[in-house]
Amino acid sequence: ELNQVWTNLVQNAIQAMDYKGTLTINVFAENDFIVAKFTDTGKGIPEELKERIFEPFFTTKPQGEGTGLGLQIVKKIISRHHGYISVDSVPGMTTFNVKLPI
């Protein structure tokens, strides 16, 4: 399941950067958690859409390119593992933060 999480976050980042740019992945221990941060240099997520990105069937991709289920599935998997996911985004930099208990 966690492989599905990492694959989805990497694929979303690559697509957000139009297949060019920089994806930085940082993994470290913090208290009783493993933290994985996926930071891309894509266009960013508009503030008004941040609350919706984990909703089922919500997508910003053109019709036929996305189901809108990827991030919703990611959030469910992380929750099943008693973890958390959040996003920070400004134009030119988006970071998905995943925290999983050790």
Side-chain angles (χ1 to χ4, degrees):
E1 284 186 327
L2 291 176
N3 282 335
Q4 188 174 358
V5 168
W6 314 136
T7 300
N8 188 282
L9 292 175
V10 168
Q11 184 64 35
N12 280 357
I14 290 168
Q15 290 173 342
M17 295 185 295
D18 295 322
Y19 300 91
K20 56 186 179 282
T22 302
L23 171 60
T24 305
I25 302 170
N26 292 304
V27 180
F28 54 92
E30 182 178 88
N31 300 320
D32 294 331
F33 289 90
I34 294 295
V35 179
K37 293 180 175 268
F38 294 76
T39 303
D40 68 62
T41 57
K43 53 190 163 282
I45 303 167
E47 191 66 37
E48 64 272 12
L49 299 182
K50 282 184 198 174
E51 290 183 24
R52 299 198 57 208
I53 63 171
F54 296 107
E55 290 177 13
F57 306 108
F58 178 79
T59 184
T60 59
K61 296 175 184 168
Q63 188 173 6
E65 287 189 29
T67 62
L69 292 173
L71 287 176
Q72 190 255 349
I73 291 169
V74 162
K75 186 170 183 174
K76 276 188 172 185
I77 291 170
I78 292 168
S79 292
R80 265 199 304 268
H81 287 81
H82 309 288
Y84 310 92
I85 185 167
S86 63
V87 64
D88 299 307
S89 186
V90 295
M93 187 174 78
T94 298
T95 301
F96 279 87
N97 306 288
V98 177
K99 291 179 81 173
L100 294 165
I102 293 176

